Amino acid sequence: MTGKKESPEYIKTSLAGALSLGLEQGRFLRDTKCGCLNLLLTYEEGCAAKCGYCGLSSARDTEAKPTFIRVKWPVYTLKNILDTVRAGGTPFKRACVSMTTHPRALGDACTVIRAIREETKLPVSALLTPTVMRGPTDMAAVREAGADRVGIAVDCATEPLFEKFRGAGIGGPHRWVRYWEALEEAVTVFGQYRAGVHLIVGLGETEKEMVHCIRRAYQLGAVTHLFSFYPEAGSFMAGMKPPELEQYRRIQLARYLINEGIIAGDGIEYDTAGRLKDFGIEIGPYVERGVPFMTSGCPDEAGVMACNRPFSNERPSEPLRNYPFMPEADDLAVIRTQVKL
């Protein structure tokens, strides 16, 4: 024990996770259930990365309260969390352990993953930081610890944007090439479509660039988990606006059609500004399914999406971007007006 509130003895969980554990007070819009227990490693010195959009950045304005994907992440002992899950009554169908950019992150993540599997039997995903991993051997260690899926948060759709907001352009340690190498390692170690790429819409890319990135991941054997940019207080990009809903809806639909193998993506047409204007197929039936507009994340053991990250892309009072539940008839009526071609 270090005497510090650091991982692996201590861990952060999302506000949604804390509410579902009964450790925070509050309620969810429409009685939403949080399907995945999201956990985040924590260290006194914080994360060494400087990602321009992240509330955990080491370069953030410390006057602002720290957030990550829009919400606060309170710290608890790992034992407290695992004891609560083991006692029953929680909605979790999966757990996800997220690394930060820290020298101890890999070993601590493996310790936490192993504890979750031993104590709760929940399937476990790991959101990895390739910058602090050495290659296939480290990737294999994550699997041996008990994770059955992994995510790589590439976030940016193009190399120039990655370098601008995560790499040398902002004084950060991450490199585009290393992240894609890690994705290939993940596919090799975990198998086809058991690795996921996190991508954030609205960092300055065109729709064409985002779709090409989704296609690249799928062709490598990975699926895409999609986020909409949301300005984090204190971050370098705190004053930047989220993407237009119409833009996000088109990318959500493209992601779904590509990841489900319905289209290859090469038949999509764009205008001169790189805006998607034709999917090459009749999209009406897929819009009506509602599923393309739900949160994209890792599934439970039955193959049903578990990682629904409730309201991490918007406030509950704002238009929903990632639906954490199946869109209802009224939701679909709104979505139809937003998928504009």
Side-chain angles (χ1 to χ4, degrees), residues 1-272:
M1 298 288 286
T2 64
K4 301 177 181 179
K5 290 189 174 182
E6 294 188 331
S7 297
E9 289 87 2
Y10 290 84
I11 198 93
K12 291 182 177 181
T13 187
S14 66
L15 179 58
L19 289 172
S20 300
L21 288 162
L23 301 175
E24 292 272 339
Q25 297 300 307
R27 59 190 180 89
F28 290 101
L29 179 71
R30 300 201 212 178
D31 196 30
T32 302
K33 305 300 180 187
C34 179
C36 183
L37 174 61
N38 291 105
L39 301 173
L40 177 67
L41 299 182
T42 183
Y43 303 99
E44 284 200 355
E45 56 267 55
C47 180
K50 297 183 179 181
C51 304
Y53 46 82
C54 184
L56 300 179
S57 168
S58 61
R60 64 182 295 277
D61 179 0
T62 55
E63 294 298 315
K65 293 181 180 180
T67 59
F68 180 54
I69 56 170
R70 202 195 67 74
V71 298
K72 68 176 183 177
W73 289 65
V75 179
Y76 303 99
T77 64
L78 178 61
K79 182 180 185 303
N80 186 7
I81 288 177
L82 297 185
D83 285 349
T84 304
V85 174
R86 194 171 57 246
T90 65
F92 306 124
K93 302 296 184 182
R94 172 173 285 276
C96 181
V97 179
S98 296
M99 293 169 58
T100 59
T101 308
H102 188 279
R104 295 206 329 254
L106 175 68
D108 290 341
C110 288
T111 297
V112 174
I113 290 165
R114 198 172 291 112
I116 295 169
R117 288 296 295 154
E118 291 174 355
E119 297 292 331
T120 73
K121 309 306 181 186
L122 286 172
V124 185
S125 301
L127 182 58
L128 307 177
T129 304
T131 302
V132 298
M133 298 176 68
R134 294 168 297 179
T137 300
D138 283 354
M139 193 68 66
V142 175
R143 182 174 181 178
E144 289 165 7
D148 68 332
R149 291 176 180 267
V150 292
I152 308 290
V154 174
D155 291 349
C156 306
T158 70
E159 185 172 4
L161 287 173
F162 188 100
E163 291 303 320
K164 179 179 180 180
F165 295 128
R166 308 199 71 191
I170 202 166
H174 301 320
R175 297 295 178 263
W176 171 264
V177 171
R178 175 63 194 125
Y179 267 65
W180 286 96
E181 285 176 351
L183 181 64
E184 293 185 41
E185 293 163 6
V187 171
T188 299
V189 171
F190 286 87
Q192 290 274 303
Y193 308 114
R194 300 188 73 82
V197 171
H198 286 198
L199 294 175
I200 302 174
V201 176
L203 297 180
E205 77 289 339
T206 66
E207 293 177 29
K208 183 176 183 179
E209 288 170 337
M210 180 58 74
V211 172
H212 281 193
C213 194
I214 293 169
R215 285 183 63 202
R216 177 182 179 180
Y218 188 76
Q219 289 166 354
L220 286 174
V223 293
T224 295
H225 301 156
L226 207 61
F227 295 74
S228 177
F229 169 75
Y230 191 98
E232 302 274 1
S235 70
F236 176 74
M237 300 169 68
M240 188 170 163
K241 293 182 179 180
E244 295 294 329
L245 264 170
E246 291 79 5
Q247 174 188 353
Y248 193 59
R249 292 287 181 246
R250 288 190 292 270
I251 297 300
Q252 282 180 304
L253 187 54
R255 182 213 68 84
Y256 175 80
L257 294 172
I258 292 170
N259 281 190
E260 293 297 316
I262 297 166
I263 63 173
D266 51 0
I268 293 178
E269 295 182 11
Y270 307 87
D271 65 18
T272 55

Side-chain angles (χ1 to χ4, degrees), residues 290-314:
V291 177
F293 312 104
M294 295 174 66
T295 307
S296 45
C298 292
D300 63 16
E301 291 180 313
V304 178
M305 190 276 296
C307 188
N308 59 342
R309 304 184 296 275
F311 315 113
S312 62
N313 282 229
E314 68 286 305

